[in-house]
Amino acid sequence: MPYPECMHASLLAVEATRARRLKETMPRMSLAAKQQVLESFHPDYRAESFRPLAVGPNRGDRVPHELADLLEARSRIDPAMFDVTRIDYDTDVLILGGGGAGTAAALTAAEQGVRVLLATKLRWGDSNTIMAQGGIQAADKENDSPAQHYLDLVGGGGFVNIPELARALVTDAPAIIRWLEELGVMFDKEPDGTMRTVHGGGTSRRRMHSCRDYTGMEIMRVLRDEARNRGIQVLEFSPAVELLLDESGQCAGAILCDLETEEFFVVRARSTIIATGGMGRLHVQGFPTTNHYGATADGIVLAYRAGARLVFMDTVQYHPTGVAYPEQILGQLVTEKVRGLGAQLLNVEGEQFVNELETRDLVSAAIIRECTQRNRGVVTPTGMLGVWLDTPMIDIKRGPGTTARALPAMVRQYKRYGIDITSEPILVYPTQHYQNGGILINERAETSIPGLYVAGEASGGVHGRNRLMGNSLLDILVFGRRAGQTAARAALQTRLGALTLRHVEQYHHALAATGSLNGLIAPMILPDYTSPASKIRRQGGIPIG
Ligand SMILES: Cc1cc2nc3c(=O)[nH]c(=O)nc-3n(C[C@H](O)[C@H](O)[C@H](O)COP(=O)(O)OP(=O)(O)OC[C@H]3O[C@@H](n4cnc5c(N)ncnc54)[C@H](O)[C@@H]3O)c2cc1C
């Protein structure tokens, strides 16, 4: 058996309850019970983990300390020293971020006949998009409709989603699936050629379209190939470190850093799109994360300093099923599709404690309750806690071979550690997964700053306080395309004045005046797992390290 001896008794309990569990359905919680579990156990309700922001458009709003630290840090750029008159690149549309949202925006902007430059922090495609496993939602079956999708989206989001954004998401969804198919995405299909769809947590219809368990990888492969074919200019290893405004206050491009030479350079752009993704690598409240190394909230920091408003930054999505054992892959995602296919969540005694298809926030809170207050978690040899996800139930319920067909990447991943997920359950615990909030946009992806647009996980409002599975891959394409189109059309009309960093100067002063300027430098760019070495190559800039 691949599991250590201290877990054997619990594994036997899991096997012993299987026959009974096959006939049982764990009831869903009432709204009142759900609220009570969330308030008592979800990390978003730990008041001591948040603090109000001292300055900026969201002054007084509470955000996690880890994010507040970055929003109260000094810029990498010294606005008094940095020469913004030396323009290194000039373009119509500058896109920051080479994940799904950024690449979709680039394709759509280029279709409008403008010059497009995409700059990204690591390699093009190194992103959360490429890591997405489970699928993408769209109401395109006969028993479903965008209206039904809307109800699920808003119910899952706590009824606070911004209605225009929610409407845009669900109404564009069927066309997004068609667009992806036309570009060459290989969706899972039934033998008769119709799309195979499954349930996600909190959904009333089967509307999750997937490409096995590497949906994001397949979508990113196709988008990147298409953008390459169309000759879109891309700068890799070139993170944005500050936005530039012009004298009238409209966004006018960004300062980027070449990670190889550590040189800073200026891109002047008539429109700028932030598509820099989320903030998993801040490890809010010490949680592990599913996110890629570049998810360090850079776009949030840049936009906030320039005066853009944020929404719902006091809510973080913890995915209920992050790996808790083996520790080599701690925090990595076990896709919700596993529960959608029939795997149940069990405590140390092999008993169910929550309906596995409740929304993510509730399932996470229920797992935390089981492991803490009820003391019915499974303890690993190093003292980590977790609960079982009974993966063998998938083949038992749906027939032998289902797991291997639907979750090939996960089967391989666990095999490396000697665990056969078709015959043995796996141990899971919540992990930081998604930034529910972000920079406030409208349905055209515009922000409160003229010339600045946002798409994807960096934006906020679409999902309210809790995103449902499969709605983010949809979000990045719906709003990536909308941002690309709006930004390109606006660029054709825009005249820029002289570039300035006055907003950075003013932000530093405001922080200093409130005594909240800390000793940190932001954006973070790379997570701080090693100690940085410092070298300055262009006067007025602090290099990445
Ligand atoms: C493991 C995992 C599984 C998931 N599964 C699903 C799923 O099944 N279905 C679903 O709907 N959603 C899923 N999600 C969520 C979804 O994948 C993401 O929310 C979404 O792909 C984000 O896309 P994005 O383009 O906004 O950001 P990303 O794809 O993260 O792209 C952001 C890009 O910006 C770059 N960048 C960052 N900072 C800078 C900077 N300063 N300058 C320039 N570039 C920068 C990054 O390097 C990256 O290339 C999953 C997420 C993870 C982590």
Side-chain angles (χ1 to χ4, degrees):
M1 197 180 274
Y3 288 104
E5 212 179 319
C6 59
M7 297 184 191
H8 288 185
S10 180
L11 282 164
L12 289 176
V14 169
E15 282 171 17
T17 56
R18 249 181 220 143
R20 170 165 56 78
R21 283 186 282 113
L22 255 182
K23 297 183 214 128
E24 291 174 354
T25 308
M26 186 79 192
R28 299 234 178 187
M29 278 187 216
S30 67
L31 261 185
K34 175 174 171 167
Q35 196 53 31
Q36 199 258 324
V37 175
L38 286 176
E39 285 176 18
S40 306
F41 297 100
H42 194 278
D44 277 358
Y45 291 85
R46 289 181 194 150
E48 70 281 8
S49 302
F50 297 81
R51 70 169 187 265
L53 289 172
V55 303
N58 290 74
R59 190 161 67 94
D61 290 355
R62 289 152 31 85
V63 302
H65 290 300
E66 295 80 358
L67 179 64
D69 287 346
L70 296 182
L71 294 177
E72 293 171 3
R74 191 178 281 284
S75 169
R76 253 165 221 292
I77 301 298
D78 180 349
M81 305 269 286
F82 197 94
D83 177 10
V84 291
T85 62
R86 198 183 90 195
I87 312 287
D88 299 285
Y89 288 85
D90 199 2
T91 188
D92 294 320
V93 178
L94 169 64
I95 296 162
L96 306 175
T103 309
L107 284 169
T108 316
E111 281 165 13
Q112 309 289 316
V114 296
R115 292 170 304 160
V116 175
L117 175 63
L118 185 149
T120 193
K121 177 152 62 183
L122 302 165
R123 293 168 305 179
W124 188 7
D126 286 342
S127 60
N128 279 352
T129 300
I130 211 160
M131 301 176 83
Q133 303 172 359
I136 173 168
Q137 288 207 43
D140 58 0
K141 291 265 169 98
E142 272 178 14
N143 70 340
D144 203 357
S145 67
Q148 196 66 43
H149 190 174
Y150 183 94
L151 292 177
D152 289 347
L153 168 71
V154 171
F159 304 99
V160 293
N161 315 50
I162 296 176
E164 308 84 75
L165 302 182
R167 190 176 53 213
L169 186 83
V170 300
T171 49
D172 284 11
I176 289 291
I177 299 292
R178 284 196 300 275
W179 181 61
L180 291 175
E181 266 228 288
E182 278 161 19
L183 290 180
V185 170
M186 312 254 288
F187 283 111
D188 295 342
K189 297 211 170 149
E190 302 294 351
D192 67 359
T194 55
M195 288 276 185
R196 183 173 293 162
T197 48
V198 297
H199 267 301
T203 59
S204 62
R205 298 287 187 278
R206 292 184 181 187
R207 67 172 74 93
M208 186 77 57
H209 301 63
S210 50
C211 311
R212 304 263 194 124
D213 56 353
Y214 38 77
T215 311
M217 171 99 76
E218 171 66 359
I219 291 176
M220 194 68 233
R221 172 187 76 80
V222 167
L223 293 180
R224 193 174 47 188
D225 277 0
E226 187 66 17
R228 275 191 183 129
N229 288 343
R230 295 199 203 166
I232 288 167
Q233 189 183 6
V234 174
L235 301 175
E236 294 186 313
F237 297 104
S238 299
V241 296
E242 205 59 76
L243 290 178
L244 290 159
L245 302 187
D246 79 355
E247 292 154 317
S248 70
Q250 68 181 335
C251 190
I255 300 176
L256 311 185
C257 177
D258 181 325
L259 285 184
E260 279 178 42
T261 64
E262 296 182 2
E263 277 178 313
F264 294 90
F265 56 100
V266 169
V267 181
R268 180 170 62 188
R270 277 147 206 82
S271 292
T272 303
I273 301 175
I274 289 182
T276 49
M279 62 172 201
R281 289 285 157 180
L282 301 194
H283 295 289
V284 169
Q285 298 187 34
F287 275 84
T289 185
T290 60
N291 284 196
H292 83 120
Y293 282 94
T296 51
D298 299 356
I300 300 282
V301 172
L302 302 190
Y304 194 68
R305 239 179 231 154
R309 195 171 167 73
L310 309 177
V311 278
F312 300 125
M313 287 313 296
D314 59 334
T315 150
V316 173
Q317 181 163 89
Y318 300 88
H319 196 289
T321 57
V323 175
Y325 185 90
E327 287 179 28
Q328 292 96 320
I329 49 170
L330 184 73
Q332 282 191 24
L333 185 72
V334 175
T335 171
E336 193 164 310
K337 191 172 173 187
V338 176
R339 282 174 284 139
L341 288 167
Q344 297 165 334
L345 286 162
L346 310 172
N347 62 23
V348 68
E349 288 149 17
E351 298 294 346
Q352 291 188 79
F353 54 91
V354 66
N355 182 300
E356 57 281 350
L357 289 182
E358 296 274 17
T359 52
R360 286 179 178 174
D361 50 356
L362 180 60
V363 179
S364 289
I367 294 174
I368 292 170
R369 174 177 68 175
E370 207 63 16
C371 291
T372 56
Q373 189 203 47
R374 292 181 171 172
N375 205 18
R376 289 199 206 121
V378 180
V379 186
T380 73
T382 59
M384 300 282 304
L385 285 164
V387 294
W388 294 114
L389 182 58
D390 198 14
T391 43
M393 286 298 258
I394 298 174
D395 281 8
I396 294 172
K397 284 181 177 173
R398 292 177 175 252
T402 307
T403 310
R405 263 195 316 277
L407 304 163
M410 204 181 127
V411 170
R412 264 199 314 279
Q413 181 185 35
Y414 272 92
K415 218 174 218 162
R416 282 196 207 117
Y417 305 99
I419 297 171
D420 175 0
I421 67 168
T422 63
S423 59
E424 286 143 332
I426 56 179
L427 201 69
V428 295
Y429 194 77
T431 178
Q432 186 182 345
H433 185 55
Y434 184 75
Q435 176 186 293
N436 286 317
I439 304 158
L440 177 64
I441 55 167
N442 64 17
E443 68 273 32
R444 290 180 298 283
E446 293 163 326
T447 67
S448 53
I449 302 174
L452 182 65
Y453 310 87
V454 184
E457 195 169 336
S459 71
V462 186
H463 308 286
R465 300 187 69 80
N466 177 59
R467 171 179 70 85
L468 296 185
M469 183 204 170
N471 278 341
S472 178
L473 283 180
L474 178 60
D475 167 358
I476 65 176
L477 301 174
V478 167
F479 289 96
R481 284 181 60 81
R482 285 175 176 242
Q485 189 168 70
T486 317
R489 286 182 181 161
L492 294 171
Q493 320 284 331
T494 299
R495 296 280 166 274
L496 292 176
L499 307 188
T500 88
L501 282 167
R502 210 173 302 130
H503 60 288
V504 179
E505 215 164 308
Q506 285 163 353
Y507 194 79
H508 284 166
H509 282 149
L511 285 174
T514 53
S516 47
L517 186 62
N518 58 35
L520 300 173
I521 301 291
M524 183 187 278
I525 307 292
L526 295 171
D528 190 13
Y529 299 123
T530 58
S531 60
S534 277
K535 265 191 275 161
I536 295 182
R537 292 279 173 82
R538 179 164 172 178
Q539 211 177 21
I542 299 170
I544 311 305

